Amino acid sequence: MKKVLVMEDEANIRSFVVINLKRAGYETIEAGDGAEALEQIRKNPDIKVALLDIMLPGEMDGFEVCRRIRAGNSQMGIIMLTARTQEMDKVTGLMTGADDYVTKPFSPAELTARVDALYRRTGGDQTQSTDEIAQPPFLLNTRNRTLSKNGKPVKLTQVEYSIVKLFMENPGKALSREEILVAVWGKDYIGELKIVDVNIRRLRVKLEDDPQNPSRVMTVWGYGYKWGA
């Protein structure tokens, strides 16, 4: 499992980040302050990427945590999270050893893309077999978050990718609309179930040879959908 440290003192923000990273296939290790973050790194030496909030309670801010990580680990990827937009904060973060920074508020897609890119650069994805799900004619690459059909790329939105990944991880299993909604949008999503149906219709256009008679994304009447493997 790909491990990412999330150091953020505000529980709601930390929960938001954790949910989206888990959805993207990461195992998250949480910390509410600098001391806890360093202890978690000691306990989990296989953490490849750390997300560090700059503003923290106590004597140790994100910059100092970054310095201490770098003092003992030159390979770990570090992304600074900051609510401030001053150029000096960005420069300071990079100068203390950070690889990247994300300014709040940020979108889940942006954050996941940054983590994915940094994880690849740290060499975290070494085992190719665990990065691909092959169900001909489809091949899902979970490292690059891409899908191909008969060797040709299929352009997917982040939501569509998440739905396909859920299906391909559960071939032949009937998934209710509620299950899909929670898995892809999160349990705290406020909206209507029909958003699932809308995205399924879009997926069928992209994936099926005949979208009107789907053979892959199949309807389970009165319940939800399943992936015909």
Side-chain angles (χ1 to χ4, degrees):
M1 181 64 77
K2 303 181 293 185
K3 286 187 180 181
V4 175
L5 173 74
V6 180
M7 183 186 76
E8 167 65 61
D9 65 309
E10 294 187 30
N12 59 334
I13 297 177
R14 188 169 69 246
S15 177
F16 170 80
V17 172
V18 165
I19 287 171
N20 284 284
L21 288 178
K22 286 183 176 179
R23 190 179 299 158
Y26 291 96
E27 177 182 350
T28 57
I29 308 298
E30 299 182 48
D33 58 39
E36 185 179 6
L38 295 174
E39 178 63 15
Q40 290 287 20
I41 289 172
R42 186 188 67 79
K43 291 180 179 178
N44 299 273
D46 53 343
I47 291 173
K48 296 292 185 181
V49 174
L51 304 179
L52 308 178
D53 183 34
I54 290 179
M55 298 298 293
L56 293 171
E59 299 179 357
M60 199 185 312
D61 62 9
F63 296 137
E64 180 60 25
V65 175
C66 181
R67 291 188 190 96
R68 296 193 186 192
I69 291 175
R70 278 288 172 256
N73 189 328
S74 62
Q75 298 301 312
M76 184 182 297
I78 298 176
I79 299 175
M80 307 300 291
L81 304 178
T82 175
R84 298 178 295 181
T85 58
Q86 286 91 341
E87 194 66 27
M88 186 53 65
D89 283 338
K90 300 172 183 177
V91 171
T92 301
L94 296 174
M95 290 299 289
T96 54
D99 300 287
D100 199 358
Y101 58 83
V102 178
T103 303
K104 304 173 189 175
F106 45 78
S107 72
E110 177 192 7
L111 183 64
T112 300
R114 298 285 189 91
V115 173
D116 285 345
L118 186 52
Y119 199 93
R120 290 194 297 271
R121 294 207 302 270
T122 64
D125 289 308
Q126 296 290 342
T127 307
Q128 185 68 19
S129 62
T130 62
D131 294 334
E132 295 183 345
I133 303 176
Q135 293 172 11
F138 297 101
L139 179 65
L140 188 76
N141 188 308
T142 58
R143 178 183 63 183
N144 297 326
R145 298 174 68 81
T146 57
L147 178 73
S148 61
K149 179 181 180 181
N150 292 318
K152 297 181 179 180
V154 180
K155 292 184 178 180
L156 300 177
T157 67
Q158 290 293 322
V159 166
E160 290 165 350
Y161 167 84
S162 297
I163 295 174
V164 172
K165 182 172 182 288
L166 178 66
F167 278 144
M168 293 183 72
E169 289 175 338
N170 296 277
K173 178 183 177 181
L175 299 169
S176 70
R177 288 174 174 82
E178 290 82 2
E179 286 179 281
I180 298 171
L181 189 73
V182 169
V184 175
W185 282 269
K187 64 180 181 179
D188 296 323
Y189 174 77
I190 300 174
E192 300 181 9
L193 276 175
K194 66 181 180 181
I195 192 173
V196 174
D197 302 319
V198 171
N199 278 275
I200 292 295
R201 287 200 295 271
R202 289 210 310 256
L203 272 177
R204 282 175 171 163
V205 171
K206 295 181 178 183
L207 303 183
E208 301 283 359
D209 294 330
D210 180 1
Q212 300 303 316
N213 296 286
S215 61
R216 189 64 73 164
V217 184
M218 304 172 68
T219 299
V220 180
W221 294 107
Y223 187 72
Y225 301 93
K226 71 176 181 179
W227 182 256

